[in-house]
Amino acid sequence: MIVRLHVEPNAYFDSVALMAVAAAANRRAGVDLAALVMGTSANLELLRDSGIWDARLEQVGPNDLVIAVRAEDEETALAAIQFALEELWRATPVRQVADTTIVPRTLRGALRLAPQAQVVAVSVPGPYAPIEAEEALRAGRHVFLFSDNVPIDEEVRLKRLASELGLLLMGPDCGTASIAGLGLGFMNAVRRGPIGIVAAAGTGLQQVASLIDWFGSGISHGIGTGGRDLDERVGGLTMAAGLAALASDPSTEVIVLISKPPAPAVGQRILDQAAHCGKPVVACFVGGTAEERTDVQVTRDLTEAARLAVHLATGQPVDTLDVPGMAEARTRLATERLHLAPEQRFLRGLYSGGTLCDEAMTILMPKIGAIHSNVPLRPEWRLADPHWSTGHTFVDLGSDEFTVGRPHPMIDQTIRIERLLREADDPTVAGIVLDVVLGYGAAADPAAELAPVIAEARARAQATGRALPVIVALIGTRSDPQGFDRQRERLEAVGAIVVPSNAAAAELAAQLAR
């Protein structure tokens, strides 16, 4: 293998565009690894850690694009670099005004082109993000801050400024939002309706919004806060602002709050505010607990939160809001279970979403005991090497140790495919659980990548006299661009058991452990 680098000075692309093109470049024949990053210190460190380094990178800055390709020969590597450049420039957004092509170079210029804009999406390298976010706030716009690597003291400063100005600062590292039907970042196509969501967990917001759609209702707004918002240092500033905004929004009748376990004092303050907001509130702190209050109901998982919110908004009885496809899934699982060999005892979860991985482990742990992970529920269950499983193991494949120089598994399934085949060869594995997240910004056709591998994994197991159940939590709606039914049918055709609820997938998987 050889490594070739290309540096494009002063050529900025946001991370979503970079990940999408990297995913396509990684699928080219002869390419072992294609990494497309901006030259921030954090990204350069990741390249160094992955063994891709060149003295030229010492001179690279945050506004410079770096394309690194490891391939079987020079011709393949150079062709992949050229492909990536062409795809990136082809995808560069421009706006045509009369006969003139206009590419705004500054936020001020962009706001002159679209003065009616009320939300500014910021996706620049972390060190520069606070400057752009502050300018947008001072221009009177809400901010969707997609950028990561923003220092927490800057996050606190910006959120306090937003609060003073009566605006929302969604983020940093905010991957998902839906404002009045407009999706930002990664978001599903969900019908409009009376339920508002504030979430410090992107895939958590997508799961609840998608299930609300499946249960026949819809969302008014989905406000992302960034994953650190309920940290004690930040104090839940955006969740409090989002809760207040939804409380005064006439189109919102029920509010859902989603987060991993918050700092205790912050969680108490948010729930106290919720109890006095004047509307019914459902709170789900995945993996944590909270005391219910008047008009605030607490659920243990995201599916229950969606079900309860729809009940409160529409009056439909909770016990009639069934997860679609569960009866068929149970039947298929029972058949597969009959063919497990005696030594097949352990579950493996290969997740692209950290919140969904946490939720699955939280549901399964009381039923099956210790679950090893790179994001463990208890410190003593941390994997010695996240690349190798032991006993029951659930991993978040979207975390840094798996995505160094590689696209996130929500966009490219390469990381998960490698791990899936390895787990299939383990004779102690009783079942594998996957999350597949659909929607805008996600992979264009994840089933096309996963289905052949699931078929191969099951065939390998069958060749040694074992069944290998594969359960897929398919997060999305029938209106998503990938087509929920098309994705489900393709996965089911190779034997996967598919349900639209992560909690339901975990409950099914629990029946396989012994």
Side-chain angles (χ1 to χ4, degrees), residues 29-43:
V31 173
D32 177 60
L33 171 65
L36 280 67
V37 298
M38 298 307 300
T40 64
S41 56
N43 286 335

Side-chain angles (χ1 to χ4, degrees), residues 11-28:
Y12 179 75
F13 296 89
D14 68 52
S15 56
V16 174
L18 292 174
M19 286 190 291
V21 174
N26 272 292
R27 288 194 289 271
R28 291 174 65 87

Side-chain angles (χ1 to χ4, degrees), residues 89-104:
W89 288 117
R90 188 176 62 79
T92 300
V94 297
R95 175 177 172 179
Q96 300 283 339
V97 178
D99 294 326
T100 305
T101 299
I102 298 176
V103 182

Side-chain angles (χ1 to χ4, degrees), residues 18-181:
L18 292 174
M19 286 190 291
V21 174
N26 272 292
R27 288 194 289 271
R28 291 174 65 87
V31 173
D32 177 60
L33 171 65
L36 280 67
V37 298
M38 298 307 300
T40 64
S41 56
N43 286 335
L44 295 178
E45 194 63 30
L46 293 175
L47 289 178
R48 189 192 294 274
D49 290 345
S50 63
I52 297 175
W53 190 252
D54 185 293
R56 287 175 292 166
L57 296 179
E58 300 284 359
Q59 307 303 319
V60 165
N63 286 326
D64 301 329
L65 168 68
V66 178
I67 302 176
V69 175
R70 186 164 60 213
E72 60 187 17
D73 56 47
E74 180 158 5
E75 182 181 358
T76 303
L78 294 178
I81 289 172
Q82 185 60 33
F83 166 81
L85 283 169
E86 291 173 359
E87 289 297 303
L88 283 172
W89 288 117
R90 188 176 62 79
T92 300
V94 297
R95 175 177 172 179
Q96 300 283 339
V97 178
D99 294 326
T100 305
T101 299
I102 298 176
V103 182
R105 307 295 298 178
T106 65
L107 175 58
R108 188 174 301 174
L111 290 176
R112 277 200 297 269
L113 286 174
Q116 73 280 17
Q118 297 182 34
V119 180
V120 170
V122 176
S123 178
V124 299
Y128 299 98
I131 299 171
E132 302 298 332
E134 181 173 355
E135 184 176 350
L137 290 170
R138 294 196 182 281
R141 268 69 172 193
H142 304 289
V143 173
F144 176 78
L145 185 49
F146 190 81
S147 308
D148 59 4
N149 296 313
V150 175
I152 197 165
D153 57 339
E154 284 293 288
E155 178 177 350
V156 172
R157 184 182 69 80
L158 289 168
K159 288 186 170 179
R160 287 177 177 167
L161 174 62
S163 179
E164 292 170 9
L165 296 172
L167 298 166
L168 288 172
L169 189 288
M170 295 175 277
D173 200 14
C174 185
T176 305
S178 177
I179 306 300

Side-chain angles (χ1 to χ4, degrees), residues 190-212:
V190 178
R191 75 187 77 185
R192 299 293 308 281
I195 300 170
I197 304 172
V198 191
T203 49
L205 193 159
Q206 289 186 267
Q207 170 73 100
V208 171
S210 296
L211 285 172
I212 287 171

Side-chain angles (χ1 to χ4, degrees), residues 19-27 34 352 406-417 442-443 449:
M19 286 190 291
V21 174
N26 272 292
R27 288 194 289 271
S352 63
R406 310 183 74 167
H408 193 280
M410 276 182 65
I411 293 177
D412 185 328
Q413 302 293 332
T414 303
I415 303 169
R416 181 145 53 182
I417 286 169
E449 293 182 78

